[in-house]
Amino acid sequence: SLASPSSLQGSELHGWRPPVDCVRANELCAAESNCSSRYRTLRQCLAGRDRNTMLANKECQAALEVLQESPLYDCRCKRGMKKELQCLQIYWSIHLGLTEGEEFYEASPYEPVTSRLSDIFRLASIFSGTGADPVVSAKSNHCLDAAKACNLNDNCKKLRSSYISICNREISSTERCNRRKCHKALRQFFDRVPSEYTYRMLFCSCQDQACAERRRQTILPSCSYEDKEKPNCLDLRTLCRIDHLCRSRLADFHANCRASYRTLTSCPADNYQACLGSYAGMIGFDMTPNYVDSNPTGIVVSPWCNCRGSGNQEEECEKFLRDFTENPCLRNAIQAFGNGTDVNMSP
Amino acid sequence: EAPLGLYFSRDAYWERLYVDQPAGTPLLYVHALRDSPEEVPSFRLGQHLYSAYRTRLHENDWIRIHEDTGLLYLNQSLDHSSWEQLSIRNGGFPLLTIFLQVFLGSATQREGECHWPGCARVYFSFMNDSFPACGSLKPQDLCIPETGLSFRIRENRPPGTFYRFQLLPVQSLCPNISVAYRLLEGESLPFYCDPDSLEVSTLWALDRELQEKYVLEAECIVGSGDHEKKVAMSLPVTVYDEDDSAPTFPGGVDTASAVVEFKRKEGTVLATLHVFDADVVPASGELVRRYTSTLLSGDSWAQQNFRVEHSPNETLAQVNNNSVRATMHDYKLVLNRSLPISESRVLQLMVLVNDSDFQGPGTGVLFLHFNVSVLPVTLNLPSDYSFPVNRRAHRYAQIGKVCVENGQEFSGISIQYKLQPSSTNCSALGVVTSAEDTSGTLFVNDTEALQRPECTELQYTVVATDRQTRQQAQASLLVTVEGTFVAEEVDCPKSCAVNKRRPECEECGGLGSPTGRCEWRQGDGKGITRNFSTCTPNTRTCPDGHCDAVESRDSNICPQDCLRGSIVGGHEPGERRGIKAGYGTCYCFPDEKKCFCEPEDSQGPLCDELCRTVI
């Protein structure tokens, strides 16, 4: 009863129209008096402390209904675009009005990723010179190769040394580093360096512990990941959702990495690239994920949180955490990248 | 919140939908459990069909519910064109899953707010095909819904039915296939399956504090006789907690004593009391708001100087061989400000802890008792000190330490040391206070006075003063000047640290050297190490990874510990300043704020921070 990947791909492409970005949609709305006044109204409705009561108000409801027909309703943002934060603010100002209360999964404000892993392999093999032949490179340390490749590229080397020195700088014996600055430098690295470099470092495959430890150290976890205490995952999610960027990256992760029992790879539309991209997109935020240990083959990733203190929401908390720790889509995507194998897509 | 106290036994239901399933096809049952025996559920569907991400797709024209039984069924067949209509409304997302909301009770609720316990979502996976031929269905497809089953049951509530075996569409479209179910074992478990209705019910009220998870094992039997096939299924049940346990003291300990003596600094933890609560609600998010602690004391002095810090921790409690979660609260009595050394009092502090969600019987209030003694500290110095000093010692050479009694243990007490010379002619020494261990370090301040032949014995009075109370202690200090003076070579550098090799290091003295000669420290040569080779005025104090009070006086004394500048070569920087670890030999030019670490003999390339992290 499993649908074949090719038929899903077909249905996905059918009826899909390229969305307008929200900054542009906002300009279109501003040019129209009815839309712009309704948009202003809605923002006032959402700004109140008691949002739900405000939204129940007739005027707010009317504003929402009008805006659902406007270009603002369908608009999306691009990862790393100019004015990304502004775009996301516009996106959430409409969508927070539509999804009152907490949803477990939220729709991603980002455009769907259409490129495939195979594109990255083609480029990556140029750097390595080995043609990504798994037999030839079985003995070598892929994570070390990835670091070397990055150092041979000026841009990658510059942004990498920047985050390394910021995240390594000890402030005092009680303060390991400036976490905020470290996160910012990590975000710059993952936003501005092409994924051929960043994914190779983050998702390299390993045969021994030294390699896996290097892989775990990629984001300098003692500064960017670990903390004195492990918060509850649902509390961490609440914290993440206060920030538009973190919220968007988490929603994007859920949209692209959520395990599906309907596809062969367990990934939505069998798209590994989209999943890896949205995983990397969370690095440098409150929900920063990382490898939990330096086990070379048993890959487990998780944000820095656990489910202690969940009370009656333990199931929900564990479900949330399992999307990281026991997610077949994410695991398959990381392994496929490490092995240099993508799913063959029918045209 | 649900009207009355009814709640769904699940928050999400799943079923498959196929194209052209006939009108009247039963889909599934939803179940509500009661909070009190007189309640009767009445089910109602939300008006709209939603996409997986909550986009409103269409009014629900197809699915209906039996208000009393909770049976969902197709009111109208779903054909291809209806599906396409829904897909178009679904934006860019492929239409795979849609959902409906089911509410409890007839009271009008806003469509937007669907939250357990009063609302559940029923998800339908859309199969873009007609219902498969009965013969092609595997036992798995005939028995178990594709998404796992899990149930929530509240503790202390009347027992009731929470599930019904059977996949209704299969049963109605393939009536000739016999499918039977059986709940396995569980004689002692509070669950029961009626063989006729296939309804699974609880037998009595559950108590989370006894067991919070059950996994019911069941068996589905397809066919009969030789063709019989069995499929195992498991039904996890989670018991939901309510605040039905009052906080208690583990071991009955409700009193702790605290003594404030040498540690008087703001933030010092004086005593800790533990409070146990068998409940796990309220959860971490709102615990601090619901579980309050108040320092009860009319005394404004106590209110200003003490505070209580609360940190809850989930623990496991063993009950009848089961582990159940519980909460241990730690209450710490903490100094709210640094106390002066003259302060002396005895007081009892009471803290009221209130589990404000606890409904009783009894009370959710506890009192913690802290017996606090604040003892005064008197400053004492040993009656006399005597130290030798080498006549050839350079400026900032450390010659000894003075310290008030128990000074190592002090925190939050600031002591200042002073020297009063008995004769002004031979005043060669100085003293600085190091904040870390409240000691005073004696050092050579005036080398000329030291070299005068008449100054062979230096007499001082050491005075220690508490900055806050001006309390003082005194001791006499005798320093004997030993050795003969030898003039320094002319081209010796100011700082020992500039010397790169052992011979040139030991030829000269430098700022801070007590013997008039620099000392060589030979490293272990093991890569980037804390034990690197270097030239220093005194290997006991430099480099020790700590820029002490004397060393910080002049950057030439010990740049290895005190440098704020750049380090070239393989190294690990110290916290804020200095070299924590270095490769080979480290030498420094304090005026240029630079240090170099490089291998002793080779001319290999220098490695900066990046290269060290890379390879």
Side-chain angles (χ1 to χ4, degrees), chain B residues 396 398 432-436 441 443 511 541-542 544 546-559 561-564 577:
Chain B
Y396 298 123
Q398 300 186 20
V432 283
T433 308
S434 82
E436 291 82 22
T441 308
F443 64 94
L511 224 50
T541 56
C542 172
D544 58 357
H546 169 63
C547 185
D548 65 41
V550 179
E551 286 166 358
S552 60
R553 286 282 182 107
D554 190 314
S555 62
N556 283 293
I557 308 169
C558 184
D561 282 342
C562 300
L563 179 92
R564 289 180 203 267
R577 52 195 345 196

Side-chain angles (χ1 to χ4, degrees), chain B residues 112-244:
Chain B
E113 290 169 12
C114 180
H115 294 294
W116 188 83
C119 179
R121 289 177 178 186
V122 184
Y123 290 88
F124 295 99
S125 309
F126 171 54
M127 316 309 279
N128 195 5
D129 208 344
S130 49
F131 193 83
C134 294
S136 72
L137 291 170
K138 292 187 229 92
Q140 191 81 10
D141 302 328
L142 295 163
C143 288
I144 316 176
E146 62 186 1
T147 308
L149 295 163
S150 70
F151 303 92
R152 337 178 136 176
I153 296 178
R154 287 177 166 173
E155 66 170 346
N156 310 329
R157 295 291 172 258
T161 299
F162 60 91
Y163 182 58
R164 182 168 163 155
F165 285 118
Q166 276 186 327
L167 301 179
L168 300 182
V170 173
Q171 195 211 9
S172 90
L173 296 171
C174 307
N176 295 331
I177 304 179
S178 112
V179 181
Y181 292 88
R182 198 161 69 87
L183 209 53
L184 299 176
E185 303 177 29
E187 287 89 47
S188 59
L189 293 181
F191 301 98
Y192 168 77
C193 177
D194 182 284
D196 298 323
S197 68
L198 294 178
E199 285 180 340
V200 187
S201 315
T202 44
L203 288 169
W204 56 82
L206 305 180
D207 182 358
R208 191 203 67 89
E209 278 73 39
L210 292 178
Q211 182 162 355
E212 59 180 343
K213 288 213 163 75
Y214 297 89
V215 180
L216 304 183
E217 300 296 338
E219 193 175 69
C220 169
I221 304 134
V222 180
S224 55
D226 294 346
H227 301 290
E228 189 178 282
K229 291 227 169 69
K230 286 180 178 171
V231 178
M233 36 191 312
S234 62
L235 290 68
V237 175
T238 305
V239 184
Y240 272 49
D241 193 27
E242 63 175 5
D243 198 344
D244 58 344

Side-chain angles (χ1 to χ4, degrees), chain A residues 53-71:
Chain A
T53 325
M54 287 290 279
L55 280 169
N57 161 317
K58 268 212 178 99
E59 223 177 308
C60 296
Q61 288 286 306
L64 254 182
E65 264 168 45
V66 170
L67 290 172
Q68 286 197 45
E69 304 299 322
S70 81

Side-chain angles (χ1 to χ4, degrees), chain B residues 307-325:
Chain B
R307 65 174 187 261
V308 174
E309 286 181 2
H310 170 208
S311 50
N313 270 309
E314 188 178 296
T315 58
L316 289 177
Q318 295 295 322
V319 185
N320 311 331
N321 294 331
N322 284 318
S323 277
V324 287
R325 296 174 301 147

Side-chain angles (χ1 to χ4, degrees), chain A residues 16 52 56 61 73 76 98-100 102-103 106-107 144 151 157 160-161 168 170-173 214 232 235 255 261-262 308-312 314-315, chain B residues 16 53-55 92-93 96 110 112 115 121 125-127 146 150 152 213 238 240-241 280-281 283-285 313-314 325 575-576 580 609-610 613-614:
Chain A
W16 182 81
N52 284 348
Q61 288 286 306
Y73 176 65
R76 294 276 185 282
L98 291 169
T99 61
E100 303 130 67
E102 294 285 277
E103 286 285 308
E106 294 181 317
L144 185 58
N151 274 8
K157 181 182 176 178
R160 177 157 177 259
S161 52
N168 255 339
E170 210 160 291
I171 309 284
S172 69
S173 52
R214 173 181 282 277
N232 179 274
D235 294 344
Y261 54 86
R262 291 185 164 205
R308 289 164 57 95
S310 295
N312 279 335
E314 197 181 38
E315 271 179 293
Chain B
R16 288 177 180 169
Y53 285 121
R54 267 185 127 258
T55 310
F93 301 104
L96 298 169
R110 278 187 66 202
H115 294 294
R121 289 177 178 186
S125 309
F126 171 54
M127 316 309 279
E146 62 186 1
S150 70
R152 337 178 136 176
K213 288 213 163 75
T238 305
Y240 272 49
D241 193 27
V280 292
V281 287
S284 61
N313 270 309
E314 188 178 296
R325 296 174 301 147
E575 283 168 27
R576 289 183 287 180
K580 191 190 218 169
E609 187 175 356
L610 178 67
T613 320
V614 172

